[in-house]
Amino acid sequence: MHVERGTTHSEEDAEPSSALTAIFAFGSCGGFSGSNIVTFFCGNGRNETLNANFHYPFRLSQVPFIEGNTTICNQSVTTTHMVGDSASSAEFFVGIAVICFLYSMLALLVYLGYMHVYKDSDFGPIFDFVVTAILVFLWLVCSSAWAKGLQNVKDATDTEGISATLALCKGSNITCEVTEFANMRTLNISVVFGYLNMFVWAGNAWFVYKETRWHSQKFISQSGHGRQQAPAPI
């Protein structure tokens, strides 16, 4: 959260925007569920299809791709799970977004009800600045981690990843191919919102810094130094 003395309207308007970007971040990631359609070309002119379903938190190694003993292209296939686990990066990303949303709501409560306490205290702006700076760093880390995790999900659910998972697709006349991909646009957007949140909170950190005594002391020091260098009147 950030505060500029004498500009309470801008303070109250900033926190809803921070909360909104956080909502878009965890909403576009946390609610995802998709399915790729895998086609098996059996080599005798007959094709079969299966759905590769996956969803948040993308713990793919626990998602059964084939359940029980299933016959595909006249070959028996045992229970098979997809490969990969991006749950840690996805949950970290969503967790930071939820924390930022809650912090924005707390900040808005302070602006609306306790602004006089915030302005009259050195602790409030300094605490606010430290927390905001930490959140900026966490947004950078979690967005980068989730971007890598999302790429791992894409690799595990594409044709090459599915073919590597199924022994059926190796060394036989059966060709496996993902013929229809799940729409991952919202997941791509979540990464964009992650980095956008980093810039939004970095802007908040700058405004908070201007309310701390560190900035005030620096401003007073620079002003005093400027007055000492001024030429004496003749």
Side-chain angles (χ1 to χ4, degrees):
M1 62 183 182
H2 66 269
V3 175
E4 291 183 55
R5 301 183 189 279
T7 58
T8 56
H9 290 293
S10 62
E11 297 159 6
E12 296 171 5
D13 292 342
E15 290 310 322
S17 64
S18 300
L20 191 62
T21 54
I23 289 174
F24 282 130
F26 70 73
S28 56
C29 176
F32 180 84
S33 178
S35 177
N36 287 357
I37 297 180
V38 182
T39 301
F40 299 90
F41 300 94
C42 301
N44 55 2
R46 184 168 58 89
N47 302 334
E48 297 184 19
T49 60
L50 283 178
N51 291 337
N53 302 310
F54 52 98
H55 53 82
Y56 176 85
F58 308 104
R59 195 171 278 107
L60 301 181
S61 58
Q62 297 182 9
V63 177
F65 175 45
I66 297 176
E67 296 187 81
N69 291 324
T70 303
T71 300
I72 301 176
C73 296
N74 297 325
Q75 294 192 28
S76 179
V77 182
T78 59
T79 299
T80 305
H81 295 78
M82 287 188 280
V83 176
D85 189 343
S86 297
S88 59
S89 60
E91 291 174 340
F92 180 37
F93 180 83
V94 170
I96 294 301
V98 171
I99 289 173
C100 287
F101 170 74
L102 296 176
Y103 188 71
S104 296
M105 294 297 98
L106 177 63
L108 187 60
L109 176 64
V110 172
Y111 292 155
L112 295 177
Y114 303 94
M115 180 63 71
H116 61 287
V117 178
Y118 184 93
K119 287 184 176 181
D120 294 339
S121 170
D122 286 336
F123 174 78
I126 291 175
F127 175 81
D128 196 7
F129 172 72
V130 171
V131 172
T132 305
I134 291 173
L135 291 176
V136 172
F137 174 73
L138 289 177
W139 270 120
L140 173 62
V141 174
C142 75
S143 298
S144 301
W146 170 228
K148 180 62 170 64
L150 176 57
Q151 186 58 52
N152 291 341
V153 172
K154 292 179 179 179
D155 292 340
T157 56
D158 66 6
T159 297
E160 185 176 349
I162 294 296
S163 298
T165 301
L166 292 174
L168 181 71
C169 304
K170 304 173 184 177
S172 66
N173 61 342
I174 301 173
T175 302
C176 308
E177 181 180 347
V178 177
T179 53
E180 186 174 334
F181 289 87
N183 188 347
M184 295 190 184
R185 185 179 306 169
T186 57
L187 297 181
N188 295 329
I189 291 175
S190 70
V191 174
V192 174
F193 270 108
Y195 287 110
L196 177 61
N197 271 282
M198 181 188 70
F199 288 109
V200 169
W201 285 85
N204 289 351
W206 166 246
F207 286 110
V208 172
Y209 171 72
K210 293 200 298 183
E211 293 302 317
T212 64
R213 65 170 180 265
W214 303 325
H215 181 268
S216 300
Q217 291 172 353
K218 180 180 179 181
F219 179 78
I220 294 173
S221 175
Q222 290 177 343
S223 299
H225 184 67
R227 286 195 298 268
Q228 291 175 3
Q229 290 183 342
I234 298 176

